[in-house]
Amino acid sequence: MGLYTRYLLPRLTDCACASPALARLRGLIVPRASGTVLEIGFGSGLNLPWYDASRVQRLLALEPADGLRSLARERMRREDRREDSFAVHVIDGVGEAIPLPDASVDSVVVTFTLCTVEDPSRTASEMRRVLRPGGGVFFAEHGAAVSERARRWQRRLEPAWTPLAGGCRLTRHPPDILRAAGFAVDWQEGLIGPPTSPWRAIDGLLHGYWGSAVTR
């Protein structure tokens, strides 16, 4: 898995996460961030076009995977950014131990990342620690299906899926993770993908959650 993880997985992740279905959710969530923003799981930089440059002062882009950080830097070099764009600082680190001081950011953005972190509870607690009073978390994730039948399939597939998909778990419930860390969560959920009959056959495996969270 070493060569796969280092060379192939970053490209596959970039391709899968660039889908129109996920882009739609990014467009609903990312523009709401403002001030000093921490993005957890920056990946290959796919959220960059969705930030509102008039609202963001700087972006602290946390990404633990070398391959994805390299792709992100390639994307930033390749894409012509406007002169009024905000500063982006790509940093190494994990969500369970965010290398930032307490109360140091105004917004946290996390998209399709809570499924991959090793300890989601610790990551959510770290989000709360680094947020300033009045700050918010803006999230778009996938997770546990609604129907028990679909959840059973998620549980069956997860042991094989997780190592192939960079640690992605299919069965987590993002709003519950955030609520357990002391956030009040406002979210929507539903099908990730086009509302066509073939797609709906696997609706349960592609259930999405998106919204915001503030400290209680």
Side-chain angles (χ1 to χ4, degrees):
M1 295 290 286
L3 292 176
Y4 172 80
T5 301
R6 185 173 180 181
Y7 296 108
L8 185 56
L9 180 60
R11 299 285 177 180
L12 292 175
T13 301
D14 178 61
C15 182
C17 290
S19 74
L22 301 193
R24 180 182 69 85
L25 295 185
R26 296 180 198 278
L28 294 174
I29 294 303
V30 178
R32 299 170 64 183
S34 62
T36 296
V37 180
L38 167 66
E39 182 175 336
I40 299 175
F42 185 60
S44 57
L46 290 169
N47 281 338
L48 274 176
W50 298 105
Y51 283 103
D52 184 345
S54 69
R55 292 167 53 84
V56 176
Q57 296 172 358
R58 63 173 178 152
L59 173 63
L60 306 173
L62 184 71
E63 175 53 55
D66 292 338
L68 288 172
R69 287 200 307 274
S70 296
L71 289 180
R73 292 188 176 101
E74 286 178 20
R75 175 167 275 117
M76 287 188 286
R77 285 194 297 268
R78 186 171 63 247
E79 296 179 358
D80 184 25
R81 304 193 69 216
R82 301 190 310 272
E83 289 185 2
D84 63 346
S85 293
F86 48 87
V88 179
H89 305 280
V90 180
I91 53 179
D92 187 9
V94 296
E96 294 89 344
I98 298 172
L100 294 174
D102 295 356
S104 58
V105 303
D106 301 295
S107 303
V108 173
V109 170
V110 56
T111 59
F112 312 107
T113 296
L114 287 178
C115 60
T116 62
V117 295
E118 193 65 31
D119 187 340
S121 298
R122 179 61 184 166
T123 299
S125 295
E126 281 286 276
M127 292 182 200
R128 183 170 182 177
R129 178 185 67 80
V130 301
L131 270 173
R132 291 173 180 145
V137 175
F138 303 97
F139 66 93
E141 298 285 338
H142 73 89
V146 173
S147 74
E148 178 55 33
R149 178 176 177 274
R151 288 195 297 271
R152 282 198 300 268
W153 272 107
Q154 287 179 325
R155 291 192 292 269
R156 290 168 184 157
L157 292 170
E158 196 170 63
W161 170 257
T162 296
L164 291 174
C168 175
R169 279 80 164 182
L170 299 172
T171 55
R172 290 176 175 172
H173 192 280
D176 283 353
I177 292 169
L178 293 168
R179 283 189 297 206
F183 288 100
V185 188
D186 178 24
W187 84 92
Q188 294 177 278
E189 59 182 277
L191 171 70
I192 299 179
T196 59
S197 295
W199 194 269
R200 286 193 179 280
I202 55 172
D203 180 1
L205 304 182
L206 297 163
H207 195 72
Y209 298 85
W210 59 95
S212 60
V214 296
T215 53
R216 289 195 290 239

